[in-house]
Amino acid sequence: QVHVAESGGDSVQEGGSLRLSCVASIDPRCLQDMSWYRQVPGQEREFVSEIDNFLRPRYADSVMGRFTISRNAGETTVYLQMNNVTPEDTAMYYCKIHQLGDYRCPTFTQWGQGTQVTVSS
């Protein structure tokens, strides 16, 4: 089974910065898309950012210009740099790994257990 582990969540003041990390026990020779989602209790989980196998990033409108996603394929790690955070960014942040299948790599989707980010005003 594949293990996905997020870290870096913390309490931070409005306007501050935080960097989240996600490490996955995956084969770097296979192809993966990596994404960040967030969820507030009682609400639906929402998309935050994604970076595909060609290192093309995509962002939700709510974080555009403030958050930056990046990945280190050799270390099977994805990062989310969060700048100028607001209280609306408070949520549990989840990492999602989607592996594209081919003749030697199985396809799967795996979620981490989340890391909490709390922004105070």
Side-chain angles (χ1 to χ4, degrees):
Q1 60 276 8
V2 175
H3 179 68
V4 180
E6 305 96 333
S7 63
D10 205 350
S11 297
V12 62
Q13 293 282 346
E14 183 176 14
S17 297
L18 206 61
R19 188 177 77 164
L20 308 183
S21 300
C22 173
V23 179
S25 60
I26 55 177
D27 190 342
R29 296 169 296 181
C30 300
L31 304 178
Q32 301 92 21
D33 296 332
M34 302 183 180
S35 303
W36 287 96
Y37 287 72
R38 65 188 182 187
Q39 187 171 28
V40 177
Q43 299 185 9
E44 191 172 285
R45 189 170 299 184
E46 68 170 335
F47 169 80
V48 175
S49 185
E50 178 186 84
I51 186 164
D52 67 13
N53 189 66
F54 295 99
L55 304 183
R56 297 176 296 190
R58 183 167 65 94
Y59 301 95
D61 289 342
S62 58
V63 306
M64 184 76 69
R66 299 187 299 117
F67 292 7
T68 302
I69 190 170
S70 61
R71 65 185 286 177
N72 185 323
E75 297 179 0
T76 63
T77 304
V78 61
Y79 304 94
L80 186 68
Q81 179 67 46
M82 307 168 60
N83 295 329
N84 194 26
V85 296
T86 74
E88 286 68 42
D89 295 321
T90 295
M92 184 74 74
Y93 283 72
Y94 297 91
C95 179
K96 185 184 77 173
I97 308 297
H98 175 70
Q99 181 163 289
L100 284 66
D102 61 19
Y103 71 97
R104 69 178 188 275
C105 301
T107 185
F108 65 82
T109 299
Q110 183 66 51
W111 293 85
Q113 293 189 343
T115 184
Q116 178 68 39
V117 172
T118 302
V119 183
S120 59
S121 60

